Amino acid sequence: MRMVSAAETAPTTHPWAVHAEGLRVRAGRHLAVDGLDLALGTGVHGLLGPNGAGKTTLMRALATVLAPAGGKLSLLGESVDGRADLRRIRRGLGYLPQQFGFYPRFTVREFVEYMAWLKEMPKAAVPGAVQRAIERVGLADRAGKRMKTLSGGMLRRAGIAQAIVNDPEVLLLDEPTVGLDPEQRLDFRELLRDLGVDSCVLVSTHLVEDVVAACTDVVMVNEGRLVYQGTPDDLIARGGTGDAGDSPAERGYSALLRRHRAEAGR
Amino acid sequence: MSRALSIELRRSAAPGSALILLAVGVALLYLVAEAEWSAGWMQLVMAQRLYLALLWPLALAAGAWQGRRERQSNVTELFASTPRPRASRVVPTVGAMALTIVAGYLLMGLVGGLAIVSTAHYLPPQVAAVTAVGALALVAGVWLGMAAGHLLPWLVTAPAVAVAGLGVLLTIPAATRPKGWLALVFSPIYEMNLPEDYATVPGRVSVSQAIWLAALALAGLLLFASSGWRVRVAALLPVALGAVLAITVMPHHDRLVVDAVDPVAKELVCARDEPRVCVSRVHEGLLPEVVPQAREALTVLAKLPGMPSRVHEDTTTYLPYVPAPRTADVALVTIRGGKTGDLTSKIVTGVFARSYDCEKGPDWADTLAAAYWLIGRTPVAEEPDVAADALIRWRELGKLPAGEAAARVTAIRDAAVGCK
Amino acid sequence: MRWLILYLRSRHAPMALAVAGACAALMWSLWLVTSTTRQVGAPMVVLTVLLTVSALTTTLVSPDGALDRTAALAWAPRRAAHVLAAFLFVAGLLAVTLVTPARFSPALLVARDTAGLLGLTALGATVISPARSWFLPLGWTLAAIVFPGSGNRLAEALTWQGQDPGNSPAMVTALLLAASGLLAYTLAGPARRAMTEITV
C-alpha cells in the first residue's frame, strides 16, 4: 500500500505539467531548440539526445531561465511568455543546472535552506523539508559540512537536494548522475521512481541505462526537435541486432537516432 | 527571512569585513595619535570619523568583494529559476553587511573608550550623532561597493573602488574650495582632525551629512537590488535629491566644526569643599587628580597676601577667541587632553603670567622666577634660553632679603594682572 | 611563441593587461584633467601602481591548477618569469608616461612600489589565495598613503609605499617583500584550495 499524495487527490487544472508547441529557444545566436512539440505529465521522463541536441537549452527554457524565442510553452497550466506570472510557476519548480553553482562557504543544510527560502516556501515548512530533502539524497551525515569540502558526487546530490526541497511539481535535473558511483546511482533511480509518483520529473542524461531503469517515459531530441517519445520498453523494441550498442536500450537509441538523421538528410 | 539573515551573517563576507575594519580601526586609534582623542568621548568619535579616510575605502572594497559573489559562485542560473525576486533576495545580504559593519564601527569606539572610560565622564548627545553619521557612511560605502561588485563582477573592481573612494575623500576639500561647508556636506572626514577639548559637531552639520549619506546608501541599495536599467537610472534620483537637501540644510559658513564650541562642555564644575577648585565639565573626571595639586598650589600662593584663593580651569578658546573670565582671586590653569601632568607649578606660574591678549606685563622669565621663588624650587622651562634667564632672575630673588623679594614678586603679580 | 600565446590566454592575460592598461590610462587622464603640473603627485603614482598590480593578480592562477601540476615541464622558472614579466609590464607602462604631459615618476619610486606590491601580491597568492591576494596590498598601501610615518625607521619601513624614493628603510621593506614573494610563488605556486574561485 502506498500513501496517496496530495497532488493525486487535488483537482488537476492543467492536463500537462509541461506543454510545448513549436517551441523555439535561442542559445546565444544559435536556435538550439527549433520547433519542439512536447507534452509531459506526471512521471519520470528521461531526456536523451546527442551532444548539442538542445537538451540543456530546453531544460533552461523549462526552468524559466531562458525566455522562449517563439512557439508556445506552458508550465503547470500557465503560459510562459512576456506577461506570465513566473513567480507562481517557479514556486512549483525544482532545477538542477548542468553547471551547478553554489556558495562554497555555506554548509549543505544552509544551502538547501537558503534555496528553500528563495523558492518562497512557507517558513514553518522549511526545516522539515530541508531535513527530508537531505535525507532523501543520503547526505544526512554531511549536512553540517561546508559545500566546498564536498566531493563531486556529493555536490551533485546536494544539488538534487536543493532541487527537490520544495516538493516541486516540475523537477528538472540536468545530468544529475554525473559523478555518482554505481551504488549511489541505484539509490538515485529509487529516488527518481519515488519522485515520479506525484510530480513531473525530466531527467537529462547520456546514460541510457538510467533512463530504462528509472523512467516511465523516454523523450529524445536531436537538433532542437523531438525525435521520439515513448516508453522504455518501446525504445528497447526499436533496436535491432544490427544497431550499435551494448544493451537493448542502447541499440534502440542508436536505431532511433540513425533513422532520424537519415530522414533529416533526405 | 530571519534564517536567511542568520546564514548570511555567518557565511557572507560580512563577519570577515567587520573584523578587518575593527582591527584596522583599533590599530589606527592606538597607533596613529592616541593623545588626540584622549580628552573625551567627543574627541574619540571625531577621531573615528577621521579614520574613515581609510575605513571607508575598505568598506567599499568589502562591499565589492561581496557584491560579485553570485557571479563568482556561478549561481545566477540556479537563482534565476527561483520565484523570489532579486529585490527580496538581496535583503538578508545587504542587511548582514550593514549590521556587522555598523557593529564593527561601534565596537571600535568601545575599544577606544576603554582607554578613556576612567576620566571621560561627559557624554554629550552629539557623540551619538557623530557616531551615527560615521556608521551611516560605512553602510553607504558597503552598499555602493556591493552595487559596483554586482554591476562589474571582476576581481579588480574591489581594489579599484577602494582607490576611487580614497581619491574622492582626498579631493573633496580641494574640489569645493573655497566653500568649506560644501566639503563638509560630502565628506564625513572633513574638519574631524585635531579636535579641541570643547569641540563639538553642530547638529545641523550632522543632519546634513546624514541626509547625503542616506541618499548615497539608498542609491547603492537600488543599484545592487536592481535587475534592469530603469531602476539603475532611478538610483540617480536619491543622489540628486539628497545632495540638494543636504546642501540646503547645511549652514553656509566655513569652519563650522573647527569653530564650534560646546558651551556645556566648557561650563565649570567645582569640587565640593573649599577652597574652590573648578574644571570644565569635559574634564570633570580629572577633578580627583586636579584638586590635591590645586590645593597644594593655593597653599604655596597663600605665603603672600592678596594672592588667588581659588583655582579655575582656563577655558579660553582661541578659535574663536573667547578668553576665560579673569579675576584677582582666581588662578587659571590650562588642562589639556586626558592627562594632567604636574599642575601645581603650572597653577602658580599662571598667577604671575600675563594674559594671552596682553602686550605688556612681565616677560616669561620674570614669571617663572617669581613662581618658582614662591614654590622654592629651581625654575624649569622648555626653551633653554628662557630657562637660563629665569634661573638668573630666580637667583637674584633668592639673594634679596625676604621682605624685598616678596615685594618684587608681588609687583610682578600686579603687572601680570594689570597688564602693565 | 605558440606556447606563450596559449599560456597567456589560459591565464586570461589579454583581459588582465587590458584592464591594467585601462586603469593606468584612467589615472593618467584624471591627472591630466585635474592638475596643472606635469609631474604626477606621489600618492597618485603609488595608487596607480597598486591598481595595475591588482589588475594583474588574476593572471597568477591557472583555471585548473591540478592539471598544471601534472605537466611535465618545469613550472618554477616559468612562474618566476611570469612575476618578472608582470613587473616589467607595470614599470614599462608607467615609463611610457614619461614622454607624455603627465609623468608618472620618479622611476625609482615606481620600480620600488611595483616590486614590493607585486611581491606582496605573489606572497598572498601563495599563502592565502590569488582571489584574496589583493587584500593586504590594498589595505596597507591606503593606510601608508593616508597616515604616512616619518621620523623613525620603523614607521618609515612600515609605510614604505609613500616614502621618498631615496628612503632606505622603505627600500629594504620593498625589496624584502619582492624577494619573498618571488621566491614563494616560484617555489610553491598559487595556493591550491582557491584554484576554482578566481574569474577575471
Side-chain angles (χ1 to χ4, degrees), chain B residues 368-407:
Chain B
L368 283 173
Y372 280 86
W373 176 82
L374 203 56
I375 298 170
R377 270 199 284 135
T378 20
V380 281
E382 275 167 26
E383 307 85 354
D385 48 337
V386 175
D389 246 10
L391 195 61
I392 294 168
R393 295 180 202 185
W394 178 77
R395 289 209 176 109
E396 279 171 14
L397 281 176
K399 282 177 199 148
L400 293 177
E404 204 174 315

Side-chain angles (χ1 to χ4, degrees), chain A residues 47-56 175 205-206 220-223 227 253 257 260-261:
Chain A
L47 181 60
L48 290 174
N51 280 327
K55 296 196 299 292
T56 293
E175 303 201 7
T205 181
H206 287 298
M220 208 169 131
V221 293
N222 188 31
E223 290 167 347
V227 174
Y253 171 84
L257 200 62
H260 178 258
R261 281 178 177 153

Side-chain angles (χ1 to χ4, degrees), chain B residues 122-351:
Chain B
Y122 177 55
L123 188 65
Q126 286 87 345
V127 164
V130 173
T131 305
V133 170
L136 197 55
L138 284 181
V139 170
V142 162
W143 287 356
L144 280 178
M146 290 175 86
H150 169 58
L151 298 176
L152 312 167
W154 313 316
L155 188 75
V156 76
T157 305
V161 291
V163 168
L166 179 67
V168 167
L169 284 184
L170 294 185
T171 49
I172 281 177
T176 55
R177 196 164 289 145
K179 293 193 175 73
W181 57 270
L182 205 55
L184 205 53
V185 173
F186 297 114
S187 168
I189 65 169
Y190 191 63
E191 292 192 358
M192 288 297 153
N193 49 341
L194 298 172
E196 295 287 333
D197 284 11
Y198 317 124
T200 187
V201 177
R204 271 181 72 181
V205 172
S206 290
V207 169
S208 166
Q209 289 175 331
I211 291 172
W212 165 245
L213 290 169
L216 217 51
L218 184 61
L221 199 56
L222 281 177
L223 285 175
F224 182 60
S226 69
S227 38
W229 282 107
R230 223 171 293 168
V231 183
R232 283 169 205 168
V233 174
L236 287 174
L237 196 67
V239 174
L241 274 179
V244 170
L245 198 59
I247 288 174
T248 320
V249 170
M250 181 69 77
H252 292 195
H253 311 296
D254 286 346
R255 309 173 56 80
L256 277 167
V257 174
V258 175
D259 285 353
V261 171
D262 181 357
V264 185
K266 211 176 135 177
E267 262 170 26
L268 288 182
V269 181
C270 302
R272 256 167 213 289
D273 35 353
E274 295 296 321
R276 294 286 263 184
V277 177
C278 306
V279 294
S280 66
R281 179 164 281 119
V282 71
H283 294 138
E284 192 183 349
L286 298 174
L287 261 181
E289 267 181 76
V290 174
V291 168
Q293 300 192 69
R295 296 210 170 129
E296 197 190 328
L298 289 176
T299 320
V300 171
L301 288 170
K303 288 187 219 160
L304 286 180
M307 286 289 154
S309 57
R310 289 189 284 168
V311 175
H312 284 182
E313 179 180 330
D314 183 354
T315 55
T316 304
T317 56
Y318 298 95
L319 293 169
Y321 180 62
V322 179
R326 293 175 83 90
T327 48
D329 63 337
V330 175
L332 293 179
V333 62
T334 309
I335 298 177
R336 284 285 172 266
K339 293 179 182 62
T340 54
D342 173 28
L343 281 182
T344 310
S345 56
K346 233 167 118 185
I347 294 168
V348 178
T349 310
V351 168

Side-chain angles (χ1 to χ4, degrees), chain A residues 60 95 105 110 113 117, chain B residues 3 10-11 77 84:
Chain A
R60 297 184 69 197
Y95 177 40
R105 288 159 56 88
E110 281 166 348
E113 214 175 336
W117 179 72
Chain B
R3 278 297 301 166
R10 273 174 292 145
R11 305 297 181 209
E77 166 97 7
R84 196 169 284 282

Side-chain angles (χ1 to χ4, degrees), chain A residues 10 27 47 55 85 99 123 136 152-153 162 179 194 211 230 232 251 255 261:
Chain A
L47 181 60
K55 296 196 299 292
D85 180 15
Q99 302 270 322
K123 200 175 174 183
R136 284 177 97 176
Q162 66 78 22
D194 197 23
V211 173
R251 284 192 282 276
R261 281 178 177 153

Side-chain angles (χ1 to χ4, degrees), chain C residues 162-190:
Chain C
Q163 300 293 337
D164 287 336
N167 187 292
S168 48
M171 185 59 87
V172 168
T173 315
L175 287 179
L176 271 179
L177 288 173
S180 52
L182 180 65
L183 205 64
Y185 185 75
T186 301
L187 295 182

